[in-house]
Structures are given as structure tokens and as C-alpha cells.
Amino acid sequence: MPFEPLSPAALVRSDRWPRGATGLRYGGDYNPEQWPREVWLEDIALMNEAGINLVSIGIFSWVLVEPREGEYDFAWLDDLFNLLHDAGIDIDLATPTAAPPAWFWKKYPAARPVNREGVQLSGGSRGIVSPSSPEYRRAAANITEQLARRYADHPALVLWHVHNEYGAPISESYDDYSVAAFRIWLQKRYGTLSGLNEAWGTTFWGQRYGEWDEIDAPRLSASVTNQTQRLDFKRFSSDALLECFIAERDTIRQFTPDIPVTTNFMATNCLSADYWKWSREVDIVSNDHYLVAERPDNHILLAMDADLTRSFAGGAPWILMEHSTGAVNWQPRNIAKTAGELARNSLSHLARGADGILFFQFRASRYGAEKFHSAMLPHAGTDTRAWRDVVELGATLARLASVRASRVRARVAILWDVESFWAQDLEWRPSVELDHRERIEAFYSALWNRGVTVDFAHPATDLHGYDLVLAPSLYLVGPAAAANLTDYVRGGGTLVVSYFSGIVDEQDAVYPGAAPGALRDVLGLAIHEFRPLRENESVDLSDERSGSGWTDDIHVSTAEVLSRYLDGPAAVGPAITRNSFGSGSAWYVSTRLIGHDLDSLLGEVLTSIGMSTEPMPGIEVVTRTSDRGDFTFVINHTNADATHPATGTELITGETISDTVTVPAGLTRVVHSVPTETA
């Protein structure tokens, strides 16, 4: 089904924030079932010491609450609810449906997920069974109803946490239930087999279908499986998981209509769910984020993830449901965080719109797959840097309580469409170096280094509030998105498009005529041939920049040529163009620019729209705004002290700032400036 853009009013969410604490939320996952009750009492006392006011519980406790089908034991959970409430700690109660019990796996073998290779997966790990299994959906509804019915009136309950990380590790399942549900999904999408055959291009390779039951999931085949079929199966799989969420959410709402419901996204780390769709269905957007530890720019990727999450939330406050105090346990090399990194990471999320800062998990596990994952309370106990950092962060967040409910405003947006990513990542594209994630990270990083705050946007949603929109990688552009982007530029916007964008429609079919079919008119050019480069080949441009990976054979119609290729397969042809269109302009970049070359180009674009900026490597500056004034976060990721223009009260130290705030190496400062009329 095509994307339906939200109205501007719908993008501003009602504030269904967890009741209770008026400041920022702080805490993490708590899994006390791993420990005897006397440890619970110790943990809760330590939570109070750290300033924790919200914990997520019950995430993997299905078998403890329902040890046998239809038999329930709430005694331990009742006790935990009361202990936390007596300590003034609120509860984010999970539905434990990410961990079906062993009895379920044994009793309902047809519900077991099947991978694309045809292997049926077993239990003993974590993750959902087949999302389309009626047995699973019935069992999930039952346990959800039991929890909602029992704790609906408990004063400690302030938030519902449905499931856990939908799509990880199971997103697509090729079991019989999923195949049957896929056929129904296709009938709703296309209506008739002739419509499906047309959309899938089944006349190619003789794939035409005559009956609905001839259609299978896109399993491994002798060669490349129909690519539109694969794209549709990804859409179906995201929708199937979303149906599971909605069913649990609606069950909960029968008992607690006033308590918000969320599920934890994985914004940039999980591309198996279309979060633009999902974000319409949650009361509060929440997200899990973990650093790519070995990348020196991981703080920039963190910021990108936070900005994307805020964008899914329509600009409303959101919850960082999970991140780590230190090392994780599932990367090739699990690097511990350095001194001050825990605070910088947390405050970067806060700066970019998170009003809840939570970790996985409170106490480190002694056994199981995540026993080497860091926690708020590490194995070594309270006499550790990790625990001291956790306590200090709690105190810092208390000082920053006034930031709550303020908003981040951005003049620049990057287009993000997971359906385009799904399509581009299929087989047999013109070059293995076509990497949407690499281009988006490159463009985002260049803007981050210039202190430019960025929103992300779906290409079919209203873009008129942005001065600049960038499409670093947008292979698939449907007719609605194409019209929207064209209208944006015609109305005065500035659009920057990078190579291999606007190539196919929503069915992964090439537009008639020269590329980029969806954007040909607004860009004022036609591409007669893709001319990808060989491995490690580079090309020089007439503006002293250089590119790699890709070039195009460009023929301009109305576009102005800003630079040309000096060598390579597209030599003397246009490399970078700009087209005046209506009241706006559209730039096209036909090769992979990196480093200074990309930075300088974006600097020129920003100057053209009145946003002159200078690179600020390692210094992160973000402002949140409310009717109480501006809150400017200056986060110093370098090893040297830094300064930034500011006036107001520094909230962490209490210092009065007259014109410049000094930020010591590795630390953060937050300056609150009151509007002139209320000062």
C-alpha cells in the first residue's frame, strides 16, 4: 500500500507522556527474576541512590507468568510491583511476547519460523515465532489480557512496553502460515491476479500466475527470484509484525485506555520494519541504540539515530528505551566506553529530543547470552567507574528537568525510505558499491560537523517547512513522492540529489525514458547511461574535487553545469549540476564525494539558502526550544577544551554565562537562555 503522508497537525503528537514524575525519565530494563528477593531489595535501594524513576519489567518473563498454557502465577510480579511502588519507582510493563515459552514451541510446531533457506528454527533463544501463526497470536493476546486485567489499576504502572524489538532476530518467516497470509495481503494490495502479474512483471522469465495458490514466498531459487515479489514480501513481513503489535495494543487499551503504549524501535539498526507506518500506531516513540564500538565516528552515528527517532515521533519527545553503559556483547570486538562517554552518549540523545534515558539493563546478568553485556550495576558492584557514572548521570538529569517537553527545530531534512532501501539492496544492481547507508552517513556526517541539526523525512510527506532537503540515496521514488519533491522545489525549496536516485517506481520498475525518471524534470537533465567505476578507481572534477564508485553520462536540458569530469568513463561530461525550477533549485551530484569534497559542496549549498556555517569537528551543538526559552547543548567529543557563543544559565554547573561557554574536554554544558520578553 502506498505511503500516506501525515498532515502537519498529525505530526505534532498529543503529549501522552507517562504520568507521575514531571522531570526527565531515567532508568532501564530490570530483570529481577534472575535473582533472589533479597537482591531485589538491594537493587531498589541502589535505584533510589541513582535517581532512577522508571524501570521496564517483564520483558522475557512469559514462562514465569504462564508456566503452563492457561495457568498463571503473578505472585512474584505482584511483589515486585509493590516494592517498586513503595520506593517511588514507576513501571514500564512489558508484554513478554518476544519469548514464547518452551511449552508453546513443543505444542505448536507449525508456528516455528522458517528461514529463506527452508530451515525451520527452534526455540532456546529469543525472538518471535511466525508472526502469522494463529496459535501465536492467540497465546500473545491471552497473556497480554491477563497482564492488563491484573495491573490496570496499579498506581505504579505508567507505561506499556509491547513485545521487544520487533523484527530482531525474526522478521521474515517462510512458514506455511506466512505464505497463506502473504497471499491474502497480495489480494488486498492488487485485487486481481492480472494486477499482480502486471505489477510484478511476470511476463519476464515466464513467471505469470494463474491461481493465487501458485504464489509462494520468495524462497531461494535457481537464480534471482522476482524482485518485486521480494520487495512485497518485505512489506508484508513488516505489516505482519505491525498487526501483532496492534492486536496487543488494542487488548491493553480495553483495560488501560489512559496509559500510553509503546514498543522499542531500532531506528537505523533494523531495516525490517517500516517505522514511518509503525510510528502512527504507538502513543510514544521509543528506541534502542547501541554504538558501533570500533568506529571512531560512532558519536555521529548516535546523533543520526536520535534524529531519525525524533523524526519518527513527529518532533515529539521520545524515549531512549535501551542503550549501554559500556561494552555490548555481540559485536566482533566489544570495546568499553571511555571516561565520560556514558554521559556524552546519554546527553546527545537528550539534546536530540529524548525525554527518557534508559539502559539495558540495571544489574548485569551472571548467566545467559548477555552475561558480558554492560549494565548500570556491573558485576564488580558499586565501587566502579560505571556505577559512579550512572549515579552522576542521574543527578545531571535531575538538574536538566526543565528541558522536558521542549522541541528540536531543524531547517534541513534528509530523505529516508526503508522501501527504497529494501529495493536497492536486492541482487543484480549496476555496482556492488551502491550503498544507501554509506551515502546517508556521509551526508549526515558532513552536516553534523558543521553543527547543522537535521530531521529525517519520508519523500511523500510535506516538506515545505524545510529550507533544504537532501536525497543521498533514494533509488525508489513512487509517483506520489516524485510529485511531492517536484512541488517542494517549485514552491521555493532546495533539493540535493545524489546518484542512482529516482530510478524506479514503487514496483521496482524502471520509469519510461532516460533516468532518473522520477526526478528528470525537476533536475533538468537526463542520464543516458550509468557508468560505474572499477574498484579503487577515482575521477577528477573540474572544480578540484574528486569522486569514486560511480559516474553518469549526463545530458542537461535546463540544468546549469557546475563541474565536469576531467577523466574517467564520463570524461568532459557534467558531474555536478544545479537546476532552477519554479521558485527553487535542485542540485545533482553524480559521483561519490567524500571528506572535504562533500563538506565543501554542502557548505556551498547551505550558503545558497542563507545558512553559512563553518566546520566544528568534534563539537556537537543542538538547541531545544520551548516557551521557557532555548536549551543549547554543547557536547565536547574532543580531548581539548572548547568554547561556544552562549548567554544564559548553564544548568549542569549553575554558572551564569555572559557571552561564551567553555566546555572542558569530554564534557557537556547546557545553557538555558530565557526569551527577551520574559527575561
Side-chain angles (χ1 to χ4, degrees):
M1 299 73 183
F3 180 85
E4 297 177 2
L6 291 171
S7 67
L11 285 170
V12 181
R13 295 172 174 274
S14 59
D15 191 1
R16 295 201 67 193
W17 198 250
R19 65 192 180 193
T22 57
L24 302 168
R25 288 296 188 164
Y26 183 48
D29 287 12
Y30 185 42
N31 301 289
E33 56 268 33
Q34 303 175 51
W35 306 93
R37 190 176 187 276
E38 56 268 24
V39 175
W40 303 6
L41 302 178
E42 177 187 343
D43 286 346
I44 290 171
L46 290 173
M47 289 178 192
N48 283 150
E49 178 184 335
I52 288 172
N53 56 33
L54 181 67
V55 293
S56 304
I57 64 172
I59 295 172
F60 298 110
S61 62
W62 191 343
V63 72
L64 297 181
V65 175
E66 189 179 9
R68 286 165 293 280
E69 187 171 19
E71 298 180 19
Y72 302 97
D73 179 6
F74 295 102
W76 71 275
L77 195 53
D78 289 348
D79 189 21
L80 180 61
F81 254 82
N82 293 330
L83 289 172
L84 289 167
H85 178 60
D86 290 345
I89 299 169
D90 292 330
I91 290 173
D92 168 30
L93 180 59
T95 63
T97 50
W103 57 256
F104 182 92
W105 290 87
K106 177 183 177 182
K107 187 172 182 179
Y108 302 110
R112 296 184 179 191
V114 176
N115 65 20
R116 191 164 181 244
E117 290 74 22
V119 177
Q120 187 182 69
L121 305 180
S122 298
S125 179
R126 55 166 279 190
I128 199 173
V129 291
S130 167
S132 299
S133 159
E135 296 94 347
Y136 171 75
R137 293 195 180 192
R138 182 177 64 248
N142 287 342
I143 188 64
T144 298
E145 179 175 346
Q146 291 294 325
L147 289 166
R149 186 184 300 275
R150 188 168 190 91
Y151 298 109
D153 297 323
H154 200 291
L157 178 63
V158 300
L159 181 64
W160 283 99
H161 180 312
V162 170
H163 199 81
N164 183 70
E165 296 180 339
Y166 277 106
I170 298 296
S171 55
E172 297 179 10
S173 180
Y174 294 74
D175 63 286
D176 290 344
Y177 289 135
S178 294
V179 173
F182 182 44
R183 291 171 183 152
I184 294 171
W185 185 92
L186 292 170
Q187 290 176 41
K188 292 178 180 177
R189 182 176 177 87
Y190 296 112
T192 64
L193 276 172
S194 61
L196 178 142
N197 281 313
E198 177 68 20
W200 285 11
T202 55
T203 52
F204 185 77
W205 281 1
Q207 297 172 349
R208 182 171 293 275
Y209 294 100
E211 301 290 343
W212 288 104
D213 63 5
E214 294 172 0
I215 300 172
D216 197 0
R219 306 178 193 276
L220 285 182
S221 57
S223 183
V224 174
T225 305
N226 184 294
Q227 293 178 321
T228 312
Q229 180 184 9
R230 290 199 64 192
L231 176 58
D232 272 346
F233 195 70
K234 289 182 179 294
R235 290 168 170 148
F236 154 75
S237 297
S238 175
D239 286 353
L241 291 170
L242 182 56
E243 287 178 1
C244 291
F245 167 78
I246 290 172
E248 292 188 38
R249 180 204 65 191
D250 289 351
T251 298
I252 288 167
R253 284 181 175 172
Q254 295 176 36
F255 299 93
T256 58
D258 297 327
I259 295 179
V261 183
T262 190
T263 186
N264 43 338
F265 295 176
M266 297 168 285
T268 61
N269 295 324
C270 178
L271 296 185
S272 58
D274 184 351
Y275 287 137
W276 292 119
K277 275 189 176 182
W278 283 66
S279 61
R280 304 163 183 262
E281 304 296 342
V282 297
D283 294 322
I284 299 170
V285 166
S286 63
N287 188 57
D288 296 353
H289 179 264
Y290 293 96
L291 295 180
V292 183
E294 292 191 78
R295 284 190 56 164
D297 63 345
N298 58 31
H299 56 291
I300 300 178
L301 303 185
L302 180 156
M304 179 175 128
D305 193 273
D307 284 342
L308 179 59
T309 305
R310 182 188 67 253
S311 302
F312 288 143
W318 53 277
I319 295 175
L320 176 63
M321 191 63 76
E322 292 183 22
H323 72 313
S324 68
T325 58
V328 296
N329 64 292
W330 35 266
Q331 295 180 9
R333 298 172 186 84
N334 296 295
I335 310 301
K337 292 186 178 182
T338 58
E341 194 171 4
L342 180 155
R344 290 196 303 277
N345 292 167
S346 299
L347 295 177
S348 180
H349 284 290
L350 175 62
R352 296 175 185 275
D355 279 1
I357 306 296
L358 281 69
F359 292 91
F360 176 86
Q361 58 183 325
F362 180 74
R363 178 181 284 269
S365 299
R366 290 186 54 236
Y367 43 77
E370 295 187 288
K371 57 182 171 288
F372 298 122
H373 195 293
S374 61
M376 300 178 84
L377 180 64
H379 292 299
T382 57
D383 189 19
T384 56
R385 187 188 76 190
W387 176 252
R388 288 189 288 272
D389 286 350
V390 164
V391 174
E392 182 178 355
L393 178 60
T396 297
L397 294 176
R399 297 186 193 104
L400 297 176
S402 57
V403 173
R404 160 85 180 92
S406 57
R407 303 289 183 103
V408 177
R409 309 296 182 192
R411 295 174 58 187
V412 177
I414 291 176
L415 299 180
W416 179 279
D417 184 6
V418 71
E419 290 197 2
S420 178
F421 306 157
W422 290 337
Q424 183 176 323
D425 286 347
L426 296 173
E427 307 97 328
W428 290 10
R429 300 315 186 207
S431 172
V432 296
E433 295 194 40
L434 289 167
D435 184 342
H436 56 81
R437 180 61 180 259
E438 182 276 331
R439 282 293 80 194
I440 290 173
E441 288 181 3
F443 275 69
Y444 181 89
S445 297
L447 294 169
W448 188 98
N449 279 309
R450 286 180 171 268
V452 176
T453 302
V454 171
D455 279 348
F456 286 83
H458 190 280
T461 200
D462 184 12
L463 301 169
H464 287 97
Y466 298 107
D467 297 319
L468 172 63
V469 171
L470 303 111
S473 185
L474 198 64
Y475 163 72
L476 183 155
V477 179
N484 188 57
L485 294 171
T486 300
D487 182 62
Y488 165 74
V489 177
R490 182 184 291 114
T494 298
L495 175 68
V496 178
V497 178
S498 188
Y499 57 88
F500 206 57
S501 294
I503 306 301
V504 299
D505 64 15
E506 69 273 23
Q507 306 303 342
D508 195 34
V510 174
Y511 279 93
L519 304 173
R520 193 167 52 226
D521 291 342
V522 73
L523 292 174
L525 55 80
I527 297 169
H528 287 194
E529 188 175 27
F530 302 137
R531 293 185 174 170
L533 300 180
R534 293 175 173 82
E535 186 177 11
N536 299 321
E537 184 181 5
S538 63
V539 288
D540 291 328
L541 278 60
S542 60
D543 57 8
E544 300 186 350
R545 296 185 174 97
S546 62
S548 62
W550 189 268
T551 62
D552 287 318
D553 176 18
I554 295 174
H555 295 253
V556 299
S557 53
T558 58
E560 172 191 3
V561 177
L562 301 181
S563 71
R564 293 183 177 274
Y565 290 107
L566 298 180
D567 54 13
V572 308
I576 300 173
T577 65
R578 179 177 58 208
N579 188 43
S580 296
F581 187 88
S583 300
S585 63
W587 301 55
Y588 184 65
V589 185
S590 67
T591 189
R592 185 170 62 203
L593 301 180
I594 61 173
H596 172 74
D597 291 339
L598 179 58
D599 171 75
S600 63
L601 177 66
L602 292 181
E604 291 176 17
V605 176
L606 290 167
T607 298
S608 76
I609 62 169
M611 289 182 66
S612 296
T613 60
E614 293 295 334
M616 304 187 302
I619 307 301
E620 180 175 1
V621 180
V622 187
T623 298
R624 293 183 58 162
T625 301
S626 75
D627 57 6
R628 302 180 303 281
D630 291 345
F631 302 89
T632 299
F633 288 71
V634 186
I635 306 174
N636 186 350
H637 297 277
T638 76
N639 295 321
D641 293 355
T643 59
H644 186 77
T647 300
T649 302
E650 203 292 305
L651 297 180
I652 296 176
T653 64
E655 179 185 0
T656 298
I657 307 298
S658 57
D659 54 9
T660 302
V661 63
T662 298
V663 186
L667 297 184
T668 300
R669 293 293 179 257
V670 183
V671 179
H672 178 210
S673 56
V674 179
T676 304
E677 60 271 20
T678 60

Short mmCIF file of all heavy atoms in Angstrom, two decimals, residues 29-31 34-35 39 43 325 360-367 370-381:
data_model
loop_
_atom_site.label_atom_id
_atom_site.label_comp_id
_atom_site.label_asym_id
_atom_site.label_seq_id
_atom_site.Cartn_x
_atom_site.Cartn_y
_atom_site.Cartn_z
N ASP A 29 15.98 -1.45 31.78
CA ASP A 29 15.38 -2.78 31.92
C ASP A 29 15.77 -3.35 33.28
O ASP A 29 16.93 -3.24 33.71
CB ASP A 29 15.92 -3.72 30.85
CG ASP A 29 15.38 -3.43 29.46
OD1 ASP A 29 14.77 -2.36 29.28
OD2 ASP A 29 15.58 -4.27 28.57
N TYR A 30 14.81 -3.99 33.92
CA TYR A 30 15.10 -4.65 35.19
C TYR A 30 14.55 -6.06 35.11
O TYR A 30 13.36 -6.26 34.86
CB TYR A 30 14.49 -3.89 36.35
CG TYR A 30 14.84 -4.44 37.71
CD1 TYR A 30 16.13 -4.87 37.99
CD2 TYR A 30 13.89 -4.54 38.73
CE1 TYR A 30 16.47 -5.37 39.24
CE2 TYR A 30 14.21 -5.03 39.98
CZ TYR A 30 15.51 -5.45 40.23
OH TYR A 30 15.84 -5.96 41.47
N ASN A 31 15.43 -7.03 35.30
CA ASN A 31 15.08 -8.45 35.18
C ASN A 31 15.36 -9.18 36.49
O ASN A 31 16.24 -10.04 36.57
CB ASN A 31 15.87 -9.08 34.03
CG ASN A 31 15.60 -8.38 32.71
OD1 ASN A 31 14.52 -8.49 32.14
ND2 ASN A 31 16.59 -7.62 32.21
N GLN A 34 16.07 -13.07 37.70
CA GLN A 34 17.35 -13.77 37.69
C GLN A 34 17.99 -13.85 39.08
O GLN A 34 19.02 -14.50 39.24
CB GLN A 34 18.33 -13.03 36.76
CG GLN A 34 17.86 -12.87 35.33
CD GLN A 34 18.81 -12.01 34.50
OE1 GLN A 34 20.02 -12.24 34.48
NE2 GLN A 34 18.27 -11.02 33.82
N TRP A 35 17.36 -13.18 40.08
CA TRP A 35 18.00 -13.02 41.37
C TRP A 35 17.03 -13.33 42.51
O TRP A 35 15.81 -13.18 42.36
CB TRP A 35 18.49 -11.57 41.52
CG TRP A 35 19.35 -11.13 40.38
CD1 TRP A 35 18.96 -10.50 39.25
CD2 TRP A 35 20.75 -11.35 40.25
NE1 TRP A 35 20.03 -10.28 38.42
CE2 TRP A 35 21.15 -10.79 39.02
CE3 TRP A 35 21.72 -11.94 41.07
CZ2 TRP A 35 22.47 -10.83 38.58
CZ3 TRP A 35 23.02 -11.96 40.64
CH2 TRP A 35 23.39 -11.42 39.41
N VAL A 39 18.16 -9.69 46.82
CA VAL A 39 18.88 -8.85 45.87
C VAL A 39 17.96 -7.77 45.33
O VAL A 39 18.40 -6.65 45.05
CB VAL A 39 19.48 -9.71 44.73
CG1 VAL A 39 20.14 -8.84 43.67
CG2 VAL A 39 20.50 -10.70 45.29
N ASP A 43 18.79 -3.89 45.09
CA ASP A 43 18.71 -3.18 43.81
C ASP A 43 17.84 -1.93 43.92
O ASP A 43 18.20 -0.86 43.40
CB ASP A 43 18.14 -4.10 42.74
CG ASP A 43 19.12 -5.16 42.27
OD1 ASP A 43 20.32 -5.03 42.57
OD2 ASP A 43 18.68 -6.12 41.61
N THR A 325 25.76 1.17 29.14
CA THR A 325 26.68 1.95 29.96
C THR A 325 28.12 1.77 29.50
O THR A 325 28.98 2.63 29.74
CB THR A 325 26.58 1.54 31.43
OG1 THR A 325 26.87 0.14 31.55
CG2 THR A 325 25.18 1.82 31.98
N PHE A 360 19.91 -0.86 28.99
CA PHE A 360 19.87 -2.29 29.20
C PHE A 360 21.18 -2.64 29.92
O PHE A 360 22.25 -2.40 29.37
CB PHE A 360 19.79 -3.08 27.90
CG PHE A 360 19.84 -4.57 28.13
CD1 PHE A 360 18.68 -5.26 28.41
CD2 PHE A 360 21.04 -5.26 28.10
CE1 PHE A 360 18.72 -6.63 28.64
CE2 PHE A 360 21.09 -6.62 28.34
CZ PHE A 360 19.92 -7.30 28.61
N GLN A 361 21.06 -3.22 31.03
CA GLN A 361 19.96 -3.38 31.93
C GLN A 361 20.42 -2.88 33.30
O GLN A 361 21.53 -2.39 33.41
CB GLN A 361 19.56 -4.86 31.99
CG GLN A 361 20.70 -5.78 32.44
CD GLN A 361 20.30 -7.26 32.44
OE1 GLN A 361 19.16 -7.62 32.73
NE2 GLN A 361 21.23 -8.12 32.09
N PHE A 362 19.62 -3.00 34.38
CA PHE A 362 20.06 -2.46 35.65
C PHE A 362 21.21 -3.27 36.23
O PHE A 362 22.29 -2.75 36.47
CB PHE A 362 18.92 -2.38 36.67
CG PHE A 362 19.39 -1.82 37.99
CD1 PHE A 362 19.67 -0.47 38.11
CD2 PHE A 362 19.63 -2.66 39.07
CE1 PHE A 362 20.17 0.05 39.30
CE2 PHE A 362 20.13 -2.14 40.27
CZ PHE A 362 20.40 -0.79 40.38
N ARG A 363 21.00 -4.54 36.51
CA ARG A 363 22.06 -5.39 37.09
C ARG A 363 22.56 -6.36 36.02
O ARG A 363 21.76 -7.00 35.33
CB ARG A 363 21.52 -6.16 38.30
CG ARG A 363 22.55 -7.09 38.94
CD ARG A 363 21.97 -7.86 40.10
NE ARG A 363 21.85 -7.04 41.31
CZ ARG A 363 22.80 -6.94 42.25
NH1 ARG A 363 23.95 -7.58 42.10
NH2 ARG A 363 22.60 -6.18 43.32
N ALA A 364 23.87 -6.49 35.91
CA ALA A 364 24.46 -7.38 34.91
C ALA A 364 24.10 -8.84 35.20
O ALA A 364 24.11 -9.28 36.36
CB ALA A 364 25.97 -7.22 34.89
N SER A 365 23.78 -9.57 34.15
CA SER A 365 23.40 -10.98 34.28
C SER A 365 24.62 -11.86 34.54
O SER A 365 25.69 -11.64 33.97
CB SER A 365 22.71 -11.47 33.01
OG SER A 365 21.54 -10.74 32.74
N ARG A 366 24.44 -12.86 35.38
CA ARG A 366 25.53 -13.81 35.66
C ARG A 366 25.57 -14.95 34.66
O ARG A 366 26.58 -15.64 34.53
CB ARG A 366 25.38 -14.38 37.07
CG ARG A 366 25.66 -13.39 38.19
CD ARG A 366 25.64 -14.08 39.54
NE ARG A 366 26.54 -15.21 39.58
CZ ARG A 366 26.17 -16.46 39.90
NH1 ARG A 366 24.90 -16.72 40.20
NH2 ARG A 366 27.05 -17.43 39.92
N TYR A 367 24.46 -15.17 33.96
CA TYR A 367 24.40 -16.28 33.01
C TYR A 367 23.59 -15.86 31.79
O TYR A 367 22.97 -14.80 31.76
CB TYR A 367 23.79 -17.53 33.65
CG TYR A 367 22.56 -17.25 34.50
CD1 TYR A 367 21.32 -17.01 33.91
CD2 TYR A 367 22.64 -17.23 35.89
CE1 TYR A 367 20.20 -16.75 34.68
CE2 TYR A 367 21.52 -16.97 36.66
CZ TYR A 367 20.31 -16.73 36.06
OH TYR A 367 19.20 -16.48 36.82
N GLU A 370 23.82 -12.79 27.34
CA GLU A 370 24.22 -11.40 27.51
C GLU A 370 24.95 -11.15 28.83
O GLU A 370 24.95 -10.04 29.34
CB GLU A 370 23.00 -10.49 27.37
CG GLU A 370 22.42 -10.54 25.95
CD GLU A 370 21.32 -9.53 25.71
OE1 GLU A 370 20.22 -9.71 26.24
OE2 GLU A 370 21.57 -8.55 24.98
N LYS A 371 25.59 -12.18 29.34
CA LYS A 371 26.28 -12.03 30.63
C LYS A 371 27.50 -11.11 30.55
O LYS A 371 27.98 -10.62 31.57
CB LYS A 371 26.69 -13.40 31.18
CG LYS A 371 27.56 -14.25 30.30
CD LYS A 371 27.84 -15.60 30.95
CE LYS A 371 28.55 -16.56 30.00
NZ LYS A 371 27.63 -17.04 28.94
N PHE A 372 28.01 -10.89 29.33
CA PHE A 372 29.15 -9.97 29.18
C PHE A 372 28.70 -8.59 28.70
O PHE A 372 29.54 -7.76 28.35
CB PHE A 372 30.19 -10.56 28.23
CG PHE A 372 30.78 -11.85 28.73
CD1 PHE A 372 30.71 -13.01 27.98
CD2 PHE A 372 31.39 -11.91 29.98
CE1 PHE A 372 31.24 -14.20 28.45
CE2 PHE A 372 31.94 -13.10 30.46
CZ PHE A 372 31.85 -14.25 29.69
N HIS A 373 27.41 -8.35 28.66
CA HIS A 373 26.88 -7.04 28.29
C HIS A 373 26.95 -6.13 29.51
O HIS A 373 26.61 -6.52 30.62
CB HIS A 373 25.43 -7.19 27.83
CG HIS A 373 24.87 -6.00 27.11
ND1 HIS A 373 24.66 -4.78 27.72
CD2 HIS A 373 24.47 -5.85 25.82
CE1 HIS A 373 24.16 -3.94 26.85
NE2 HIS A 373 24.03 -4.56 25.68
N SER A 374 27.39 -4.91 29.30
CA SER A 374 27.49 -3.96 30.42
C SER A 374 26.11 -3.67 31.00
O SER A 374 25.08 -3.93 30.38
CB SER A 374 28.13 -2.66 29.94
OG SER A 374 27.34 -2.06 28.93
N ALA A 375 26.10 -3.10 32.19
CA ALA A 375 24.85 -2.77 32.88
C ALA A 375 25.07 -1.55 33.76
O ALA A 375 26.21 -1.12 33.98
CB ALA A 375 24.37 -3.96 33.72
N MET A 376 23.98 -1.00 34.26
CA MET A 376 24.09 0.13 35.18
C MET A 376 24.85 -0.28 36.43
O MET A 376 25.70 0.46 36.92
CB MET A 376 22.70 0.65 35.53
CG MET A 376 21.90 1.11 34.32
SD MET A 376 20.22 1.66 34.71
CE MET A 376 20.52 3.37 35.19
N LEU A 377 24.54 -1.47 36.93
CA LEU A 377 25.27 -2.04 38.07
C LEU A 377 26.09 -3.21 37.55
O LEU A 377 25.55 -4.29 37.28
CB LEU A 377 24.29 -2.50 39.15
CG LEU A 377 24.92 -3.11 40.40
CD1 LEU A 377 25.77 -2.08 41.15
CD2 LEU A 377 23.84 -3.67 41.33
N PRO A 378 27.39 -3.04 37.37
CA PRO A 378 28.20 -4.11 36.77
C PRO A 378 28.47 -5.24 37.74
O PRO A 378 28.18 -5.16 38.93
CB PRO A 378 29.48 -3.38 36.37
CG PRO A 378 29.59 -2.26 37.36
CD PRO A 378 28.18 -1.84 37.67
N HIS A 379 29.06 -6.31 37.21
CA HIS A 379 29.43 -7.45 38.06
C HIS A 379 30.32 -7.01 39.22
O HIS A 379 30.22 -7.55 40.33
CB HIS A 379 30.18 -8.50 37.23
CG HIS A 379 29.33 -9.19 36.20
ND1 HIS A 379 28.22 -9.93 36.52
CD2 HIS A 379 29.45 -9.24 34.85
CE1 HIS A 379 27.68 -10.42 35.41
NE2 HIS A 379 28.40 -10.02 34.38
N ALA A 380 31.16 -6.02 38.99
CA ALA A 380 32.10 -5.58 40.03
C ALA A 380 31.45 -4.73 41.10
O ALA A 380 32.11 -4.36 42.08
CB ALA A 380 33.25 -4.81 39.37
N GLY A 381 30.17 -4.39 40.94
CA GLY A 381 29.45 -3.71 42.01
C GLY A 381 29.52 -2.20 41.97
O GLY A 381 29.76 -1.59 40.92
#
